[in-house]
Amino acid sequence: MIYGVKIKKLQPHADERGCLTEILRSDEEIFEKFGQIYVSLNYPGVIRAWHYHKKQDDFWAVVKGMIKAVMYDSREDSPTKGEIQEVFMGEQNPVLLRIPVGVMHGYKTIGTESSLLINLPTMPYNAADPDEYRLPYNTPDIPYDWDIKMR
């Protein structure tokens, strides 16, 4: 696991009325601070990658569909520099994923349904000075192929 990445298993509470799943609480160890919350709708097969932040951590939860979240540790001072980590998350694997400052990340919606990804970053978005540094999804700087791997 890439240094600083945290994964919290989410526990759905289902009954005859439906289901409730807590995503993040301010009294949990994984919580850092609140910046903002937003949701992204992603069509099947869409890749949103690569980028990293210098100031904020991201906290992702997928509440509909499935994604393959991929992280690449390019931090010079990290004990896991050069490592790749995949996390399959969504309805079949409800988790909260913490992506630390400096770790390149992106995701691909997998399966036949759109996905809804909720992000709870630790900083609000600043349009005048965005904390977002991007590379193309197919950059040769990151040794990763987004195709489905037949295992």
Side-chain angles (χ1 to χ4, degrees):
M1 180 177 290
I2 290 176
Y3 181 75
V5 170
K6 293 181 182 175
I7 298 173
K8 171 191 158 190
K9 185 76 178 164
L10 301 178
Q11 180 61 54
H13 300 280
D15 63 22
E16 67 274 12
R17 299 169 298 170
C19 181
L20 182 144
T21 305
E22 292 181 345
I23 296 173
L24 181 63
R25 298 170 49 108
S26 63
D27 60 355
E28 294 177 308
E29 184 180 325
I30 195 171
F31 179 80
E32 293 177 32
K33 69 179 199 178
F34 178 78
Q36 69 177 64
I37 183 171
Y38 64 86
V39 62
S40 299
L41 168 68
N42 311 285
Y43 298 126
V46 167
I47 298 169
R48 295 187 188 228
W50 296 94
H51 73 274
Y52 72 99
H53 308 286
K54 293 181 179 178
K55 301 175 186 170
Q56 74 180 42
D57 293 338
D58 282 343
F59 289 82
W60 289 357
V62 175
V63 295
K64 179 182 182 304
M66 288 292 292
I67 71 163
K68 172 172 63 172
V70 183
M71 295 162 284
Y72 174 69
D73 192 353
S74 60
R75 299 171 294 179
E76 288 298 325
D77 60 343
S78 173
T80 55
K81 181 178 180 354
E83 288 189 19
I84 296 269
Q85 183 176 350
E86 296 177 323
V87 178
F88 297 90
M89 53 189 293
E91 291 174 287
Q92 282 95 46
N93 186 32
V95 298
L96 176 68
L97 173 65
R98 175 189 180 256
I99 304 166
V101 165
V103 172
M104 298 292 299
H105 57 284
Y107 62 94
K108 179 179 182 180
T109 298
I110 56 176
T112 58
E113 293 182 50
S114 297
S115 66
L116 287 175
L117 182 147
I118 294 174
N119 190 9
L120 303 105
T122 55
M123 302 282 291
Y125 182 76
N126 180 349
D129 184 22
D131 177 31
E132 195 160 285
Y133 304 90
R134 295 189 168 274
L135 289 175
Y137 80 96
N138 58 354
T139 179
D141 296 343
I142 299 175
Y144 189 76
D145 179 354
W146 288 94
D147 288 342
I148 293 175
K149 293 158 184 73
M150 300 301 178
R151 300 170 201 248

